[in-house]
Each structure stands twice: as structure tokens, then as C-alpha cells.
Amino acid sequence: MRISLLYIRRRLGLRLSIVTIDRLSAPPPLVDWSGVPTLILALVALVMAVTALLTKTVDGKRPTRLPGPPALPFLGSRWLFWSRYKMNKLHEAYEDMFRRYGPVFAETTPGGGLLVSIADRTALEAVLKTPARRPFRPPTEIVQVYRRSRPDRYASTGIVNEQGEKWHHLRRHLTSELTSPQTIQGFVPELNNICDDFINLLRNSRRSDGSVVGFDQLTNRVGLECKYKLMIK
């Protein structure tokens, strides 16, 4: 019995020794994950540094922060339209944000800029009455690219898309022409044709209960067609 137990112990010890040697001599893993925590900390530090640079003004002071939705680095507050809100229901999104943050709030663009929304009449009147000879407005990029690609037809990207001194020059010379009744009457026939086609489309798309499926998409199409007519006029 003792001989059998000793033999078994020796056999087990031999096997355990072999297993230990095999484990010690095993090749290293294909991927070394030991540096992942350091890499994550470095990325977090980089994101924080870039965010600080984007929100820093020229004199080194941070601007006064208006109330608004929280912003993420490189995404701004646009992430809300991927989670909480829907792009095809912007009216509901801004109604909710005005209720959450008040009549004046600011969103952060992916580039770090601020987009201020105003629902207070007094604040809106103050903005409109503030003198600004060269205000900056984000251009409509597709129109800007198209007009720049056709210098044979357009001398500029238009009063809506130009900035600075060129915008001021166009505004000074075109305001009287653009606001004249004769200019507006020149667009009326073509816009009336588009509206008539849109009404016929709604009649043909109406269900038995009077509803129209995809009404928001149809209005987007008619709006795009109207802008196209005004752009190439």
C-alpha cells in the first residue's frame, strides 16, 4: 500500500513538474495589454487639452457660459440628436431645450463654437438692434461651393454666404434691389408653379382618412426646389 501511494505521489509530482515547466516555457501572448491603461490616460489628457484650447479666448479668459446642453469633446452638443432628439423633429427638440435651459441657451458645435437660440422677445429685439457692420453668419456650404465652381455665372457666393467687407459691399448695393416689389414679383410665377405641383402631389398622396404619409419629407423636397429656383434665377 505504501509502495503504491509513493508510486502515485511520484507520478503526480512528475506530472506536476512537467506542467510547470510547460507553463514557464510557453510563448508570450500575441497582444500585450499592459500598456492599454497608459494609452487611455494619454488620450483623456489629449482630449482635455484640446477642449481647453478650443474654449480659451485670446486674452486667456474663459467666456461666460450660457445655459445649455452638455458638450462632448469633438462632438459638441450634437450627440443629443443621436440619442435624445430626432433630426426630423427639430421643433420638438428645441421646445424641450427651451423648457430645460430657459429662453436663451447655447449649443456647442463640433468645432467648439457656440450656437445661441433665443425665444425671449426682449432679448431678440436687443440682438436685432445691436449695430453690427460686418456680422458673421455660417454660410450655406452647398451654395457656396456651387457658385465658386461657376465663376462664369456668379461674381460672388451671394449676400447670404459672403462675409466681412465683401458682404457689406453687396448689402450696400443690393438691399434696395432685393427688397423692391418688382424683384419679388419676378419670382412669384415660378414659385406658384412649384406650389401648385405640391398641392396636386398632396391630393394624390392623401389616404382615405385624409392623412399624408411622409409629409415632412415632401415639405423638405418642395423647400429644396424653391431654394434651387431662387439660387439659379
Side-chain angles (χ1 to χ4, degrees):
M1 185 67 178
R2 290 180 179 177
I3 297 175
S4 300
L5 290 175
L6 181 61
Y7 176 75
I8 293 173
R9 288 176 182 175
R10 288 179 178 177
R11 295 287 294 180
L12 290 175
L14 180 60
R15 289 179 181 177
L16 290 175
S17 299
I18 293 174
V19 172
T20 304
I21 293 173
D22 289 339
R23 288 182 178 178
L24 291 175
S25 61
L30 297 177
V31 180
D32 185 10
W33 298 98
S34 60
V36 172
T38 304
L39 180 61
I40 293 177
L41 291 176
L43 290 176
V44 171
L46 178 62
V47 169
M48 293 177 64
V50 172
T51 305
L53 290 175
L54 291 176
T55 57
K56 189 176 181 181
T57 57
V58 178
D59 56 0
K61 298 180 180 179
R62 291 183 178 274
T64 303
R65 176 65 180 170
L66 292 172
L72 297 178
F74 304 109
L75 297 178
S77 54
R78 290 300 178 187
W79 63 273
L80 290 171
F81 292 93
W82 306 335
S83 57
R84 182 186 300 170
Y85 305 125
K86 296 181 179 179
M87 290 298 295
N88 60 346
K89 293 185 178 181
L90 290 178
H91 60 292
E92 295 181 359
Y94 281 93
E95 182 181 3
D96 180 71
M97 283 190 282
F98 278 123
R99 184 169 56 251
R100 288 172 179 264
Y101 308 113
V104 179
F105 69 90
E107 301 171 73
T108 305
T109 64
L114 294 181
L115 179 62
V116 180
S117 298
I118 301 175
D120 182 71
R121 180 178 299 179
T122 304
L124 182 60
E125 183 179 2
V127 171
L128 294 177
K129 289 185 176 181
T130 300
R133 185 176 180 181
R134 298 176 181 84
F136 175 80
R137 305 161 321 285
T140 306
E141 295 182 1
I142 185 172
V143 178
Q144 193 177 49
V145 171
Y146 173 73
R147 290 197 172 216
R148 286 177 177 173
S149 66
R150 297 298 304 272
D152 56 317
R153 297 192 61 179
Y154 304 103
S156 67
T157 59
I159 190 173
V160 178
N161 301 292
E162 289 291 352
Q163 309 291 342
E165 189 62 36
K166 200 166 187 178
W167 172 86
H168 184 70
H169 173 79
L170 292 175
R171 183 182 184 276
R172 187 172 65 251
H173 291 84
L174 296 178
T175 298
S176 58
E177 180 69 22
L178 292 176
T179 56
S180 66
Q182 292 79 8
T183 302
I184 298 175
Q185 287 295 328
F187 292 102
V188 169
E190 294 185 2
L191 294 180
N192 277 339
N193 292 333
I194 296 175
C195 292
D196 291 339
D197 293 340
F198 181 61
I199 293 174
N200 293 330
L201 177 62
L202 293 180
R203 288 173 178 170
N204 296 329
S205 303
R206 185 184 301 173
R207 289 180 170 182
S208 58
D209 59 353
S211 62
V212 177
V213 179
F215 179 77
D216 55 341
Q217 298 179 3
L218 297 178
T219 54
N220 289 337
R221 291 179 183 178
V222 70
L224 180 61
E225 187 173 356
C226 290
K227 291 180 181 179
Y228 174 76
K229 285 293 184 181
L230 296 176
M231 182 179 67
I232 65 173
K233 180 69 175 177

